[in-house]
Amino acid sequence: MGSTTEIHLGSQATATPRTVPDLLNAKRLLGKVAIITGGSTGMGLAAAKRFVQEGADHVFITGRRKDALEGAVAEIGKNVTGIPSDVAHLRDLDRLYESVDGCGRKIDVVFANAGISQRAALGTVDEKFFDLHFNANVKGLFFTVQKALPLLKDGASIILNASIATIKGFPGISVYSATKAAVRSFARTWTNELANAEFA
C-alpha cells in the first residue's frame, strides 16, 4: 500500500510533487549521498540497493534490528553504512545525523521510509498501539526531515513514504491510515514551505 512523494528543495525546487520515471541502469545518483530510514528490510532495502546501483557515492541506512541491519549492509555490498536507529527516538536520529555529518558531505537525498503498520479493529485499539504508530510514522518522519535540514545540499530531494490507505478506508487500519494522512499533509505543506529555502 506504499506510495512516495518527492519534494525538491532550494534553487531546483518544483511547485508540486513529481513522479520519477523508472529508467533501468540510469546513473541518476552518481556521486550523491543518501539517507534511507528503515533501510534494512522491504521497500527501504530495495531503495538502498537501487540507489547504489544508480551510482550513489554513499547510502546511510537505518534499522531497529541489528541482525537485519547487518544483513542489509552485506546484501547491498558497497557504498553503505548501517546505523542502528529507531526514528521514534530523537536521540537515535541525532546519532544518525552526527554520523552523516562526520563524513564531511552534504546530503542529496533523504528517503523518510521507516514506519509501522499493524492491524487492529477500532474497538481494540489501546494507547500503546496508537502511540506506536504515531511515534514512528508521524513524529519519526517529521523529525527525520527536520533534523536533516542543516545538512541538505541545495537541490536535494526529500522522499516521504505515504500510502493509498489515506483514501481507501481499509478496515482494521484506521490508526495507520491516519498517520499516512499526516504524511500527505507534510508533503503538501513542505513543498511550499521549502520551495525557496536556501541550502549550502
Side-chain angles (χ1 to χ4, degrees):
M1 292 187 291
S3 62
T4 59
T5 298
E6 185 173 356
I7 303 168
H8 288 269
L9 308 179
S11 61
Q12 299 178 31
T14 55
T16 57
R18 69 184 180 97
T19 301
V20 180
D22 184 18
L23 303 174
L24 292 176
N25 301 316
K27 297 295 184 182
R28 294 175 295 168
L29 298 177
L30 192 65
K32 296 189 181 296
V33 173
I35 292 175
I36 303 175
T37 61
S40 59
T41 59
M43 186 185 298
L45 175 56
K49 291 164 69 175
R50 186 60 181 265
F51 281 21
V52 170
Q53 177 187 341
E54 294 202 6
D57 191 54
H58 207 82
V59 178
F60 292 85
I61 63 172
T62 72
R64 293 183 299 162
R65 295 189 352 255
K66 184 178 179 182
D67 59 334
L69 190 60
E70 290 175 349
V73 168
E75 186 174 342
I76 296 166
K78 64 178 182 178
N79 301 355
V80 61
T81 298
I83 309 290
S85 176
D86 182 344
V87 296
H89 300 298
L90 300 192
R91 64 182 179 276
D92 284 6
L93 289 174
D94 289 336
R95 189 168 60 249
L96 164 65
Y97 287 117
E98 286 168 6
S99 297
V100 174
D101 192 33
C103 81
R105 299 276 303 278
K106 290 291 185 178
I107 301 168
D108 298 282
V109 181
V110 174
F111 181 14
N113 168 69
I116 298 286
S117 176
Q118 296 180 4
R119 299 180 69 90
L122 174 60
T124 67
V125 171
D126 59 16
E127 184 177 13
K128 181 179 179 181
F129 183 94
F130 188 94
D131 288 347
L132 177 71
H133 285 76
F134 271 83
N135 285 344
N137 299 357
V138 181
K139 185 180 84 171
L141 183 141
F142 181 93
F143 286 105
T144 293
V145 173
Q146 185 206 64
K147 289 176 179 291
L149 294 178
L151 300 177
L152 292 179
K153 189 174 183 179
D154 189 45
S157 295
I158 298 171
I159 305 169
L160 309 179
N161 195 349
S163 173
I164 63 169
T166 60
I167 57 174
K168 290 293 186 181
F170 297 112
I173 57 169
S174 59
V175 176
Y176 170 79
S177 299
T179 67
K180 292 304 184 176
V183 172
R184 289 189 69 196
S185 179
F186 288 156
R188 293 189 189 101
T189 305
W190 294 341
T191 296
N192 293 317
E193 184 173 341
L194 299 175
N196 298 313
E198 294 184 4
F199 299 92

